[in-house]
Amino acid sequence: MKFCSDCGHKLIVAIPAGDLRERHICNHCSRIHYENPKLVVGVIAHWQDQVLLCRRGIEPQKGLWCLPAGFMENGESSDEGAMREAKEETCAQLEIESLYAVYNLPHINQTYMYYLAKLLTPQVEAGLETLDAQLFKQGDIPWSQLAYPSIAAALQQFFMDQKRGQFPLIHESISSQANLLGNAS
């Protein structure tokens, strides 16, 4: 940030009184501009032995496959955001079952929250920001064409948990050096 969004004056970077981190501060109106991680919310939507993936129609990672997910909006809960994103990207009719995974990505200031969701019907289609939406069995997932390391991690864990019939909450951090599929991410 270079200018105050309240008054338009130039910002400085300093540690405010009572704080431990550098922040953008306006010397004119005294506003402290906090930059906090973004929440990405999504679903691992399943139908029988298949999961729902969508092919990104926008950058970043255009053309690669991902779970239906996106940035949480103001005024919505995380599960509402996950359902909204799934509907926008895949036109899916689903029911949230539970929070399943929380992945911290501190190197890009994001936290991903994936919910388990049951598809109410296998009919899905590409939404406005999506090139394609499909259901995949584990062996048919385009693992080398997944957009993000958190997707691979969540899907791998989901299939292991599905075999066990138990879905404990996952809470992990993924570094920028993640090597989850045998190739650099």
Side-chain angles (χ1 to χ4, degrees), residues 37-39 101-114 150 170-176 178:
K38 300 279 187 191
L39 286 177
V102 177
Y103 293 104
N104 297 301
L105 289 83
H107 62 285
I108 57 171
N109 300 318
Q110 294 179 358
T111 297
Y112 287 64
M113 298 175 68
Y114 292 119
S150 67
I170 302 158
H171 184 225
E172 297 179 8
S173 290
I174 297 176
S175 73
S176 61

Side-chain angles (χ1 to χ4, degrees), residues 10-181:
K10 191 170 180 157
L11 298 174
I12 63 165
V13 176
I15 299 174
D19 203 334
L20 301 174
R21 296 179 184 258
E22 287 187 336
R23 311 287 183 182
H24 290 94
I25 303 169
C26 180
N27 276 339
H28 183 75
C29 71
S30 301
R31 166 93 188 260
I32 301 169
H33 296 271
Y34 295 93
E35 293 184 64
N36 301 106
K38 300 279 187 191
L39 286 177
V40 175
V41 292
V43 296
I44 299 176
H46 57 93
W47 175 264
Q48 299 169 356
D49 62 344
Q50 300 171 85
V51 294
L52 175 62
L53 295 178
C54 54
R55 184 172 280 195
R56 294 182 59 82
I58 59 171
E59 294 294 348
Q61 307 291 38
K62 183 177 180 179
L64 298 180
W65 291 93
C66 63
L67 293 166
F71 290 112
M72 191 169 126
E73 298 287 350
N74 290 334
E76 68 184 2
S77 66
S78 56
D79 57 327
E80 289 170 341
M83 285 186 64
R84 175 188 49 76
E85 286 290 342
K87 185 130 179 106
E88 286 176 3
E89 294 179 0
T90 66
C91 304
Q93 299 296 317
L94 54 84
E95 177 181 297
I96 296 285
E97 296 174 308
S98 64
L99 179 61
Y100 178 62
V102 177
Y103 293 104
N104 297 301
L105 289 83
H107 62 285
I108 57 171
N109 300 318
Q110 294 179 358
T111 297
Y112 287 64
M113 298 175 68
Y114 292 119
Y115 286 86
L116 282 182
K118 176 175 59 175
L119 283 163
L120 302 177
T121 173
Q123 278 71 45
V124 295
E125 61 185 72
L128 292 175
E129 298 178 348
T130 308
L131 299 173
D132 194 6
Q134 291 183 34
L135 291 169
F136 289 92
K137 291 185 179 193
Q138 182 178 4
D140 297 328
I141 290 175
W143 293 102
S144 65
Q145 296 175 34
L146 294 178
Y148 302 107
S150 67
I151 295 165
L155 287 171
Q156 289 170 342
Q157 188 66 50
F158 170 79
F159 287 116
M160 285 191 296
D161 290 344
Q162 188 180 47
K163 286 178 185 163
R164 286 195 302 256
Q166 296 178 345
F167 296 91
L169 180 64
I170 302 158
H171 184 225
E172 297 179 8
S173 290
I174 297 176
S175 73
S176 61
Q177 304 302 314
N179 190 2
L180 300 169
L181 296 173

